[in-house]
């Protein structure tokens, strides 16, 4: 539920073969998010991570994007 989403503090999406983070607007709804793990998603770019970090300024984003 929406109330449950607002309680999420850690989200692990590692090794999910994500191609982009175009759902940034969805992540913004996770107001309590403190840690987001995006490791082993080889198609994610550093530009996308930077954009996401701006949207989630209080969240630590763990990634290995190199492009």
């Amino acid at each position: 539920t929406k109330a449950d989403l607002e309680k999420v503090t850690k989200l692990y999406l590692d090794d999910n073969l994500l191609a982009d983070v175009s759902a940034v607007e969805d992540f913004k709804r996770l107001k309590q998010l403190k840690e987001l793990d995006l490791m082993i998603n080889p198609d994610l770019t550093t530009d996308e991570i930077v954009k996401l970090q701006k949207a989630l300024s209080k969240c630590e984003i763990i990634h290995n994007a190199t492009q």
Side-chain angles (χ1 to χ4, degrees):
T1 67
K2 182 179 177 182
D4 290 329
L5 280 177
E6 292 174 357
K7 296 176 187 175
V8 173
T9 59
K10 295 182 180 183
L11 185 58
Y12 299 98
L13 297 175
D14 54 312
D15 203 12
N16 272 298
L17 300 176
L18 298 174
D20 63 52
V21 288
S22 59
V24 168
E25 294 301 317
D26 294 330
F27 285 118
K28 285 182 182 179
R29 289 191 253 163
L30 303 174
K31 305 255 186 238
Q32 300 299 316
L33 193 61
K34 300 294 181 214
E35 183 177 312
L36 176 59
D37 186 340
L38 296 173
M39 293 290 290
I40 314 170
N41 286 288
D43 293 331
L44 291 180
T45 66
T46 52
D47 288 341
E48 290 173 312
I49 299 296
V50 167
K51 189 184 311 182
L52 187 56
Q53 186 66 71
K54 286 179 183 176
L56 300 170
S57 61
K58 296 179 181 179
C59 179
E60 177 185 5
I61 300 175
I62 302 162
H63 68 90
N64 60 338
T66 59
Q67 300 179 34

